C-alpha cells in the first residue's frame, strides 16, 4: 500500500479495496452540481436494514446481472476518519468491474479525540479530495450513488458545518451513518470471503476512528446463508489510538497498553458470543478488513510494492502477523515510512492499527485470519446492484405483467 498519488485506470478485475492508489487533485474547475442517489435505486433500501441481532446478510451471488444487457455503473464513497475512498463500478456476473476509483489519506478525524471538533486543516484537505471525487462521479451516467461518512463525523460537533461545505464546494451530499450500519456494510463487502463451513465468523473492520466487530453464524436455512449474532463498535481506531498513545517511536510497554485497551473492551462481547469451544475446534474464521490489515499483509508477504491480487483473500497465521507487527514497532518512523507497503502517510498509524488487531486476537485467540482488501464501498455496491436488479424484475404495477422497467 503505497502513498503514491495515481489514478486507477479501468480494470477488468472485480472490486478494489484498501490498496487502491490515489488520484491527483485536479477537480477545482469542475462545476459542483449536486451528486445524489438516482431516483430509481434507493441508496438505503428499507428491506436491507436488518435488526442489530440475527440479521441476514446478502452475498455477492445475489447481485448477478444478465450479460446480454450492459448494466449502468454505480458509485460508493466511504469517507472515514483517515481515508477518503471512492469506487465506480459496473455489474459483471456475480461481481463487478471497477471503472474508476480514488483513495486519499485526508485524516479528517485528526484532533477529534482531543477537541471533539473537525480541524480546519483537516476539513480543507478532505474537501479537496472530495472535489476530485465529485469530478469523477459527474463523468458517469450513474444508476446509483451512496456517499457515507463514519466515525469522525459521528463524533465531531461541527459535522453539519463540514457537510454543508462539502455540498457547497464539492457538490456531494454526505450521509453520516451509525456504527451498526457501518458494521453491516463491512460484512456485506467481505461476504465473498466468508467460509460457509465455519461455525462462527468474526469480521473486524479497523477504521481511523472506530473498530467494528461482527459475529456471524453461517446458516443454510436463510436464503443468503448468513446470520448476524452480535456486534460491537469500539471508539478506537488508528487515528484515535495514535492521538492517544503516539504512533512514532512506540515503546513495547506502550504497545502492550494499546493491546490491553482493545482486549479489555471486548470482554463483554466475547462472553456474549461464547466462541471459545469453536475456537478450540478450529471452527472460527476471523476476517480482517482495513488498511491496517492489508499493510501488515503486504509487509508479511515481503511484497516489493502493494499488490491487491496477492493480498485480498489470503490466509495468514496470527503468529506471523504478530511477528510482523513487532518488526514494524521496533522500526523508527522514518524506516517504516520507507517500506514500500507502508509509506510515509501510514508510518505513524500502522503500529496503533497492529495493536488493535492484536488486541482483537487476544480476546478471540484464533490461529489464523483472512485478509480482506474490501469493505464498506464493496458492501454499498453489492447492495445497490441487488436493489437495481430487484427493481428491474418487479412486475409493472400498471399492467400486472412481468415487463422489466
Amino acid at each position: 500500500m503505497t502513498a503514491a498519488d495515481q489514478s486507477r485506470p479501468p480494470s477488468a478485475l472485480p472490486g478494489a479495496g484498501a490498496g487502491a492508489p490515489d488520484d491527483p487533485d485536479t477537480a477545482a474547475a469542475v462545476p459542483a452540481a449536486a451528486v445524489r442517489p438516482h431516483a430509481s435505486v434507493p441508496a438505503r433500501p428499507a428491506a436491507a436494514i436488518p435488526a442489530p441481532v440475527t440479521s441476514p446478510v446478502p452475498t455477492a451471488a445475489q447481485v448477478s446481472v444478465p450479460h446480454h444487457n450492459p448494466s449502468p455503473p454505480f458509485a460508493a464513497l466511504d469517507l472515514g476518519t483517515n481515508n477518503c475512498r471512492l469506487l465506480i463500478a459496473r455489474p459483471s456476473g456475480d461481481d463487478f468491474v471497477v471503472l474508476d476509483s480514488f483513495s486519499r489519506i485526508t485524516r479528517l478525524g485528526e484532533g477529534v479525540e482531543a477537541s471533539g471538533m473537525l480541524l480546519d486543516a483537516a476539513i480543507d484537505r478532505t474537501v479537496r479530495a472530495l472535489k476530485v471525487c465529485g469530478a469523477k462521479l459527474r463523468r458517469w451516467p450513474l444508476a446509483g450513488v451512496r456517499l457515507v461518512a463514519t466515525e469522525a463525523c459521528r463524533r465531531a460537533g461541527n459535522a453539519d458545518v463540514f457537510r454543508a461545505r462539502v455540498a457547497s464546494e464539492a457538490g456531494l451530499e454526505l450521509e453520516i451513518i451509525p456504527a451498526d450500519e457501518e458494521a453491516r456494510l463491512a460484512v456485506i463487502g467481505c461476504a465473498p470471503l466468508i467460509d460457509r463451513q465455519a461455525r462462527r465468523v468474526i469480521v473486524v473492520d479497523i477504521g481511523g476512528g472506530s473498530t467494528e466487530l461482527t459475529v456471524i453464524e453461517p446458516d443454510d436455512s436463510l436464503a443468503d446463508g448468513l446470520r448476524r449474532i452480535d456486534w460491537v463498535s469500539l471508539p478506537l481506531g488508528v487515528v484515535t489510538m495514535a492521538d492517544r498513545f503516539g504512533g512514532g517511536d512506540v515503546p513495547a510497554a506502550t504497545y502492550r497498553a494499546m493491546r490491553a485497551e482493545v482486549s479489555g473492551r471486548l470482554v463483554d462481547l466475547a462472553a456474549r458470543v461464547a466462541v471459545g469451544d469453536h475456537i478450540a475446534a478450529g471452527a472460527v474464521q476471523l476476517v480482517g478488513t482495513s488498511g491496517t490489515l492489508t499493510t501488515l499483509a503486504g509487509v508479511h508477504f515481503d511484497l516489493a510494492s502493494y499488490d491487491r491480487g496477492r493480498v485480498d483473500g489470503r490466509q495468514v497465521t496470527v503468529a506471523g502477523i504478530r511477528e510482523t507487527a513487532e518488526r514494524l514497532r521496533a522500526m523508527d518512523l522514518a524506516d517504516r515510512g520507507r517500506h514500500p507497503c507502508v509509506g510515509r502517510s501510514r508510518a505513524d498509524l500502522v503500529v496503533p492499527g497492529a495493536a488493535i488487531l492484536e488486541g482483537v486476537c487476544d480476546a478471540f485467540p484464533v490461529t489464523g485470519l483472512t485478509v480482506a482488501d474490501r469493505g464498506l464501498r464493496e458492501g454499498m455496491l453489492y447492495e445497490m446492484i441487488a436493489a437495481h436488479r430487484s427493481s428491474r424484475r418487479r412486475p409493472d404495477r400498471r399492467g400486472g405483467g412481468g415487463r422489466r422497467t
Side-chain angles (χ1 to χ4, degrees):
M1 184 173 306
T2 68
D5 287 352
Q6 303 172 32
S7 178
R8 181 187 178 104
S11 169
L13 297 176
D22 228 344
D23 201 36
D25 187 358
T26 57
V30 178
V35 175
R36 304 180 178 88
H38 191 281
S40 67
V41 181
R44 189 175 182 181
I49 306 299
V53 180
T54 66
S55 55
V57 180
T59 66
Q62 292 178 288
V63 301
S64 59
V65 177
H67 292 280
H68 65 276
N69 185 19
S71 300
F74 296 80
L77 183 143
D78 169 19
L79 178 60
T81 301
N82 190 48
N83 272 32
C84 174
R85 297 187 180 115
L86 170 71
L87 271 186
I88 300 173
R90 189 187 305 279
S92 177
D94 290 342
D95 215 297
F96 54 79
V97 173
V98 175
L99 303 174
D100 202 354
S101 70
F102 175 85
S103 177
R104 177 169 298 166
I105 292 176
T106 64
R107 300 204 182 196
L108 175 63
E110 184 177 27
V112 170
E113 176 74 9
S115 68
M117 304 289 281
L118 301 174
L119 302 180
D120 289 344
I123 289 175
D124 290 343
R125 290 192 300 266
T126 304
V127 169
R128 286 196 297 269
L130 288 170
K131 286 181 179 179
V132 179
C133 294
K136 287 176 175 288
L137 289 165
R138 285 183 282 274
R139 292 173 192 156
W140 298 93
L142 299 170
V145 181
R146 192 168 182 191
L147 317 171
V148 305
T150 57
E151 184 69 7
C153 288
R154 287 196 292 263
R155 296 178 63 180
N158 57 344
D160 287 344
V161 174
F162 167 67
R163 289 180 67 236
R165 183 172 166 189
V166 170
S168 173
E169 297 185 26
L172 304 179
E173 297 187 0
L174 294 175
E175 169 194 1
I176 301 175
I177 60 173
D180 62 337
E181 175 72 350
E182 183 176 0
R184 189 185 70 86
L185 290 170
V187 171
I188 296 172
C190 293
L193 302 181
I194 288 177
D195 179 3
R196 305 311 172 100
Q197 302 305 311
R199 295 178 191 170
R200 295 290 188 275
V201 179
I202 302 170
V203 177
V204 55
D205 180 11
I206 302 173
S210 65
T211 295
E212 282 71 42
L213 283 87
T214 307
V215 181
I216 302 294
E217 177 187 11
D219 185 345
D220 290 339
S221 69
L222 299 174
D224 48 61
L226 296 173
R227 184 184 298 277
R228 182 160 70 171
I229 300 300
D230 208 340
W231 74 282
V232 70
S233 178
L234 307 180
L236 304 172
V238 297
V239 174
T240 52
M241 291 286 270
D243 285 349
R244 187 183 305 180
F245 292 94
D249 295 331
V250 181
T254 301
Y255 188 81
R256 288 194 296 270
M258 286 193 277
R259 284 175 54 179
E261 175 79 6
V262 175
S263 61
R265 289 174 180 261
L266 292 174
V267 169
D268 289 345
L269 177 65
R272 291 198 304 268
V273 299
V275 295
D277 290 344
H278 296 318
I279 290 176
V284 174
Q285 180 193 23
L286 178 63
V287 179
T289 170
S290 67
T292 292
L293 267 295
T294 55
T295 298
L296 287 171
V299 175
H300 175 75
F301 294 130
D302 292 322
L303 301 183
S305 62
Y306 185 80
D307 182 349
R308 181 178 189 267
R310 298 179 63 185
V311 170
D312 184 48
R314 290 284 298 274
Q315 307 297 312
V316 61
T317 66
V318 171
I321 286 293
R322 290 189 190 274
E323 184 278 329
T324 300
E326 174 57 24
R327 181 153 45 105
L328 289 169
R329 186 205 65 78
M331 292 180 182
D332 62 29
L333 188 64
D335 284 343
R336 256 182 257 140
R338 283 190 286 268
H339 194 289
C341 290
V342 180
R344 288 180 298 174
S345 61
R346 291 188 183 274
D348 62 334
L349 302 178
V350 65
V351 172
I356 294 173
L357 178 60
E358 287 208 63
V360 171
C361 293
D362 292 340
F364 298 96
V366 296
T367 58
L369 61 88
T370 303
V371 181
D373 190 345
R374 55 183 71 214
L376 267 65
R377 294 177 302 170
E378 288 79 4
M380 288 185 280
L381 287 171
Y382 285 142
E383 192 161 78
M384 285 187 290
I385 293 169
H388 181 72
R389 188 185 70 164
S390 177
S391 69
R392 287 171 58 84
R393 292 183 175 180
R394 189 176 301 123
D396 186 353
R397 294 180 180 178
R398 293 171 298 178
R403 183 177 66 85
R404 296 177 185 268
T405 59

